[in-house]
């Protein structure tokens, strides 16, 4: 008569299901469908969807592209390490490279403009975690991910690395200015 | 094959003595790994507690790798082997198939577990249990895990063999008991899991030996999560089976409907393993269509299955209690439940904590776009401490209060402490999960040594609330460690010093399970009378309400971040 014994009804699959169970199964099913529709709906009407634009790349290729971008658009350098601050064209392209243990370069963007930011890592996995707005994207070596971002508010933002990448992981802090 | 059986005089359970010994050794090995995992948990929590920050960075990452491996893989897998042997040989009252193979599996797992731990503690394998390439560990780190997987595969083979033995020796009539059916679900998913594990870890081992030049980092993550996620489905199937088992033992509860519960287990097999996609929602390498398909069509059917179990388990208890006359109001059946019995209290906290905290947070986290708010934040370990700790670990702990007397033939020592242990551990773990999720919602990263970013070229100051949450994480983490340590002390203490109990008479032939159907047919006429379970309906509706509110609150949060397309 219990769950640790064979079903007492030999033909248990013929026993009807009670209405309360049917009701719950129905409700749970409808809820699952609503959750499905929400994701699709957001792709059509939502303003936060992760881009599908991805290219295979290599350490050399991505480093070269980033260097070219930095060379062309640097407006000043900051900190003792002279990290370049780079201002891409409004609504233009930008590159952000993750490596042990830095986000390179610093970007300066304008609120309300949309940028195509090329993200990749050149050694290990890293995690793009934009704070305090809290957007988190996995950054994987060998993949160049082109993410369109539209900053909403002016301020100084931090890029925390939130994928473990070795002993200096906690020092891997980058910066984005939004003017 | 010559073996002996004994029938436990207290529970009526019949043990094949070969299986009996296998279960005891596997369970004890599991507890020892939990001990190692618990020590690492304390070190992890004391380091993430900003006011204490105990370990230096290199030791922290080393210890965290050990914590993941020893808890998630070793503690859980060893205990699951014991559960599989119990659900087959003991519940079906037959001999265990090929005990020698089962022992081989056991020793492979022991050797593998030690090997991986040696690699970790040598210091060259602080790669976390996920070991994402191209970060490389020592070859014996991977080899150890492979040995553990092979050992576990042998164990599941013995489980299936035992089902065949029971059928052949006709030790039961009709269909498998629901609990055994649930365990079978776990075993089937385990085979898929281990195959995926082989597909990824064997090449990775070869790569660490220098035989293969490169492994694609995205491909690795995809195949690894087919292992990493499906192993969690094994855990869910195992602990749901234990919920049904406890409901049966503590209340004599009968499933509301065999058909519905079995169908829900079947859904796990059909769909849950594919949900591994929800670990890749913020990855570059998969298209949005692939993500939506895998998180909705596949995963939601599995979620549906869990929602069904979440209804039918308490429903079965309510029905059993109402039949006993606890019929007043909505919740007399629950109020009059044996809250002082740790087998029941642990199981019920496991059920509620898993459903309300682990389940809801998991589905929200697994929503394609919302994932970007939480991916790799402290929210993630918050979520899975509600599933694999409150859900699985606490269920295993609670069933142990039953196994010590019946399997180990010892009385539990300090019954008063046994009574409070599930509350201490379960409730502190629930709060721990919540505050971890709170910190994650504010952005705090997982696997991160220093939220002050010492040595970074810039400063970033987390909001004060994030420090508050991390402080609470520290406090409740320590309480949870105390609760877990108490369990280990009680169990080990009972095994060593508990009053010896009579193991029951031994006999050479198994006594088959008497055929129930004859008696059942006499007592009622085919169409089962359904007991109404209004209390469970109220609980279920409460769950759904929390679920819906929390789900949409997160869409609201998402709509406030930068535009992404
Ligand atoms: C008293 C008990 C425990 C405490 C206080 C605790 C605490 C923690 C904390 C704070 C983290 C996150 C560390 C970080 O990301 O920086 C963590 C990670 C983890 N815990 Fe626990 N834990 C406990 C028990 C368990 C148990 C019983 C299991 C499994 C059954 C478990 C499995 C894991 C896993 C798999 C991770 C992820 C490790 C990684 O990110 O690589 N924990 N634990
Ligand atoms: Cu990094
Ligand atoms: Cu990192």
């Amino acid at each position: 008569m219990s769950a640790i014994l064979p079903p007492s009804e030999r033909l248990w699959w013929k026993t009807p299901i009670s209405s309360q169970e049917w009701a719950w199964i129905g409700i749970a099913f409808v809820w699952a469908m609503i959750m499905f529709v929400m994701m699709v709906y957001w792709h059509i009407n939502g303003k936060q969807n992760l881009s599908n634009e991805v290219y295979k790349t290599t350490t050399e290729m991505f480093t070269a592209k980033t260097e070219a971008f930095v060379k062309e658009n640097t407006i000043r350098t900051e900190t003792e390490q002279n990290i370049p601050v780079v201002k891409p064209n409004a609504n233009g392209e930008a590159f952000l490279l993750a490596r042990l243990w830095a986000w390179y370069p610093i970007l300066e963007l304008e609120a309300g403009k949309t940028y195509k930011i090329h993200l990749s890592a050149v050694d290990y996995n890293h995690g793009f975690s934009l704070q305090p707005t809290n957007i988190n994207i996995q950054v994987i070596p060998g993949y160049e991910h082109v993410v369109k971002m539209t900053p909403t508010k002016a301020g100084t933002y931090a890029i925390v690395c939130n994928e473990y990448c070795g002993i200096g992981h906690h020092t891997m802090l980058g910066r984005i200015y939004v003017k | 094959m010559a073996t002996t059986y004994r029938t436990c005089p207290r529970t009526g359970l019949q043990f094949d003595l070969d299986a009996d010994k296998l279960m005891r050794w596997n369970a004890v090995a599991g507890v020892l790994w939990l001990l190692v995992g618990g020590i690492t948990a304390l070190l992890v929590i004391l380091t993430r507690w900003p006011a204490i920050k105990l370990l230096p960075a290199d030791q922290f990452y080393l210890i965290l790798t050990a914590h993941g491996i020893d808890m998630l893989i070793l503690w859980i897998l060893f205990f699951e082997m014991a559960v599989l042997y119990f659900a087959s040989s003991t519940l079906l009252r037959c001999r265990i198939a090929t005990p020698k193979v089962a022992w081989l599996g056991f020793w492979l797992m022991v050797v593998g577990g030690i090997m991986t731990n040696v690699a970790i503690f040598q210091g060259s394998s602080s790669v976390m249990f996920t070991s994402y390439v191209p970060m490389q560990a020592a070859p014996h780190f991977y080899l150890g895990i492979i040995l553990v997987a092979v050992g576990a595969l042998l164990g599941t083979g013995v489980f299936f063999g035992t089902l065949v033995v029971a059928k052949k020796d006709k030790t039961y009539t009709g269909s498998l008991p629901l609990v055994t059916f649930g365990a079978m679900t776990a075993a089937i998913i385990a085979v898929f899991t281990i195959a995926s594990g082989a597909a990824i870890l064997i090449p990775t081992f070869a790569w660490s030996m220098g035989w293969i030049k490169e492994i694609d980092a995205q491909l690795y993550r995809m195949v690894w999560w087919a292992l990493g996620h499906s192993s969690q489905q094994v855990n869910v199937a195992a602990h749901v089976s234990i919920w049904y088992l406890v409901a049966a033992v503590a209340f004599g509860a009968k499933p509301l409907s065999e058909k519905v519960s079995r169908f829900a287990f079947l859904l796990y097999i059909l769909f849950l393993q594919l949900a591994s996609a929800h670990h890749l929602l913020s990855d570059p390498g998969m298209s949005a269509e692939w993500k939506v398909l895998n998180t909705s069509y596949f995963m939601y059917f599995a979620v549906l299955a869990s929602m069904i179990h979440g209804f039918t388990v308490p429903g079965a208890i309510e029905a059993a209690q109402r039949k006993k006359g606890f019929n007043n109001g909505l919740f007399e059946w629950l109020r009059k439940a044996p809250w002082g019995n740790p087998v029941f209290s642990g199981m019920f906290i496991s059920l509620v904590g898993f459903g309300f905290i682990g389940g809801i947070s998991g589905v929200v986290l697994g929503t394609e776009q919302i994932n970007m708010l939480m991916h790799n934040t402290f929210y993630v370990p918050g979520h899975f401490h509600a599933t694999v700790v409150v859900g699985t670990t606490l269920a295993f702990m609670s069933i142990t209060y039953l196994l010590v007397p019946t399997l180990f033939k010892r009385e539990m020592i300090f019954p008063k402490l046994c009574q409070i242990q599930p509350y201490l551990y379960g409730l502190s773990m629930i709060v721990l999960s919540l505050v971890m999720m709170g910190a994650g919602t504010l952005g705090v990263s997982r696997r991160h040594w220093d939220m002050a970013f010492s040595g970074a070229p810039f400063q970033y100051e987390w909001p004060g609330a994030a420090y508050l949450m991390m402080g609470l994480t520290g406090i409740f983490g320590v309480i949870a460690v105390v609760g877990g340590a108490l369990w280990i002390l009680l169990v080990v203490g009972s095994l060593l010093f508990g009053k010896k109990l009579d193991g029951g008479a031994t006999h050479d032939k198994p006594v088959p399970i008497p055929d129930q159907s004859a008696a059942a047919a006499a007592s009622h006429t085919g169409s089962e009378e359904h007991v109404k379970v209004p209390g469970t309906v109220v609980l279920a509706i409460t769950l759904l309400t929390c679920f819906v509110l929390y789900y949409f609150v997160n869409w609201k949060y998402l709509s406030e971040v930068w535009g992404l397309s």
Side-chain angles (χ1 to χ4, degrees), chain B residues 265-281:
Chain B
F265 275 122
L266 191 68
L267 284 179
Y268 281 153
I269 303 181
L270 294 181
F271 297 109
L272 251 166
Q273 63 274 52
L274 299 156
S276 64
H278 69 216
H279 294 265
L280 311 171
L281 295 177

Side-chain angles (χ1 to χ4, degrees), chain A residues 98-103 123-127 160-166 168-169 172:
Chain A
R99 64 177 177 222
L100 300 175
W101 286 287
W103 295 97
D123 33 50
Y124 293 158
N125 273 270
H126 295 277
V160 178
C161 176
N162 74 358
E163 180 59 81
Y164 168 66
C165 56
H169 173 48
M172 186 163 165

Side-chain angles (χ1 to χ4, degrees), chain B residues 278-435:
Chain B
H278 69 216
H279 294 265
L280 311 171
L281 295 177
S282 298
D283 279 22
M286 285 81 187
S287 70
E289 291 80 7
W290 186 86
K291 290 169 183 172
V292 169
L293 180 75
N294 280 282
T295 46
S296 56
Y297 174 58
F298 295 133
M299 187 174 125
Y300 291 156
F301 278 104
V303 171
L304 183 66
S306 286
M307 288 176 79
I308 293 175
H309 290 305
F311 182 88
T312 58
V313 174
I317 294 176
E318 178 171 0
Q321 289 281 79
R322 285 189 186 273
K323 276 192 193 150
K324 284 188 201 135
F326 297 116
N327 243 326
N328 287 330
L330 279 176
F331 289 117
E332 192 195 16
W333 62 276
L334 194 56
R335 277 200 316 277
K336 295 278 168 67
W339 292 103
N341 175 357
V343 180
F344 167 74
S345 63
M347 170 266 170
F348 205 80
I349 297 171
S350 162
L351 169 76
V352 172
F354 179 81
F356 276 82
I357 318 290
I360 293 179
S361 65
V363 177
V364 171
L365 189 57
T367 304
E368 197 224 337
Q369 295 94 337
I370 294 177
N371 183 265
M372 282 186 290
L373 291 174
M374 297 137 173
H375 177 69
N376 270 352
T377 66
F378 219 45
Y379 191 95
V380 176
H383 149 71
F384 67 69
H385 281 73
T387 58
V388 80
V389 187
V390 180
T392 311
T393 300
L394 189 55
F396 289 179
M397 285 178 167
S398 61
I399 195 71
T400 306
Y401 288 109
L402 183 81
L403 291 180
V404 170
T406 186
L407 179 60
F408 291 88
K409 296 164 283 189
R410 297 279 187 162
E411 200 163 85
M412 287 300 300
I413 55 172
F414 301 125
K416 279 270 171 302
L417 285 177
C418 294
Q419 279 191 8
I420 61 166
Q421 188 274 332
Y423 295 95
L424 184 64
Y425 189 70
L427 299 181
S428 61
M429 194 46 87
I430 286 177
V431 179
L432 175 66
S433 300
L434 286 172
V435 291

Side-chain angles (χ1 to χ4, degrees), chain A residues 3-4 6 9 12-13 20 24 36 39 43 47 49 52 54 56 123 134 136 138 143 148 150 163-164 169, chain B residues 126 134 175 179 216 245 259 282 284 288 296 307 368-369 372 375-376 441 447 524 531 533 563-565:
Chain A
I4 55 173
E9 305 292 336
W12 50 267
W13 56 90
Q20 48 194 358
W24 178 246
F36 163 65
M39 289 193 286
H43 273 285
K47 296 204 164 50
N49 288 291
N52 274 332
V54 183
K56 289 282 271 178
D123 33 50
N134 208 5
N136 305 280
Q138 187 79 23
Y143 290 80
K148 276 197 227 145
T150 316
E163 180 59 81
Y164 168 66
H169 173 48
Chain B
S126 302
S175 309
V179 171
D216 184 273
L245 173 71
K259 189 159 44 174
S282 298
S296 56
M307 288 176 79
E368 197 224 337
Q369 295 94 337
M372 282 186 290
H375 177 69
N376 270 352
T441 304
R447 299 175 165 174
H524 44 71
V531 186
V533 288
L564 294 164
S565 55

